[in-house]
Amino acid sequence: MSVTEEIRRLKKEKNAVLLAHYYVPDEVQEIADFIGDSYYLSKKAAQTQADILVFCGVRFMGESAAILNPGKKVLMPDLSADCAMAHMAEVERIKEMRERYEDLAVVCYINSTAEIKTYSDVCVTSANAVKIVKALPNRNIYFIPDGNLGRYVAEQVPEKHVLLGGGYCPVHAAWTAEDAARAKAEYPGAKFLVHPECTKELLEQADYIGSTSGIIEFAAGDDSREYIIGTEEGVLYELKKQNPDKVFYTLNERQICGDMKLVTLEKIQAVLEHETNEITVTQEMRQQALAPLKRMLELAK
Ligand code: 13P
Ligand code: SF4
């Protein structure tokens, strides 16, 4: 039996589902039950009837699924697959900001540790951050960890006073205005679609700014033929699948999140077979981190 067939057999036998982010390798996306961006996957994780969830992504995603699903087993193919940005916020700093500003809402990008979530008022993803910040009654917003997404949100919601965290995605923030200019010169007819984790210089050159699912929806509904994609290269799998007649380019050779690529079919098979690599959070942490995640799901509806 091939690895893929074995995974299918195990999924059926154990009533398991595979959730995969658009950044994991193509062959993993191909076999997943649900593929999507962080927002879609957190919604699916909250709704599933399966007994086991295999989360093909990075740690904060598996952790959020475990928090949203107390009775379920959440397994991760590789426990070391982590998002560097998730650790770029400090509890002490949150406490300081709360003291300094009355009426402060701590808005936490879902790319954060469970501990950071426990100190936050609401979580957001790149797909719903603008909508949620707009809907909050508070004027003062402390947006953590991503300073780039936070700055983009602040520009869309000028009525709010947004204080920015200093975190960043080491993958998205590494692409330069020169990378964008070079790609645009090479593919002059292509539209440039960019994730808001990129720097201001890139966003200024974009034809469209949005989450991974936003980029995919835009390309499907647009009538151009060529696109330069300013996010992790894994999204090209879905873009090409949905738009076989269109052409997609990357900006450069450095559009790879190494942690997402740690997810392999062999590791999925192994964790399903032995039910290893379970993500657990303490009861106390779960209770406290659940509130901002649930508030996100409510406000983003
Ligand atoms: P999405 O919110 O678009 O899924 O992005 C998550 C992420 O990690 C981007 O680097
Ligand atoms: Fe984290 Fe960046 Fe990887 Fe997304 S691409 S998971 S933000 S390190």
Side-chain angles (χ1 to χ4, degrees), residues 45 103 150 184 239 281 290:
D103 174 42
K184 285 182 151 211
L239 283 166
V281 280
L290 183 61

Side-chain angles (χ1 to χ4, degrees), residues 21 23 58 60-61 82-86 109 111 146 168-172 195 197 231-232 256-260:
H21 192 269
Y23 294 167
V58 289
F60 76 81
M61 297 178 173
D82 201 357
C83 167
M85 177 160 55
Y109 192 23
N111 297 39
D146 191 2
Y168 61 93
C169 164
V171 183
H172 287 76
H195 196 283
E197 285 180 10
T231 190
E232 213 270 358
I256 296 173
C257 176
D259 285 83
M260 289 283 188

Side-chain angles (χ1 to χ4, degrees), residues 31 75 88 148 174 213:
I31 194 180
L75 311 177
M88 295 183 189
N148 283 313
S213 58

Side-chain angles (χ1 to χ4, degrees), residues 202-229:
L202 256 77
L203 267 52
E204 277 168 0
Q205 299 194 47
D207 295 295
Y208 171 81
I209 300 166
S211 71
T212 47
S213 58
I215 288 174
I216 290 164
E217 275 165 33
F218 180 89
D222 184 64
D223 54 13
S224 299
R225 221 187 77 79
E226 293 176 84
Y227 302 88
I228 304 163
I229 301 301

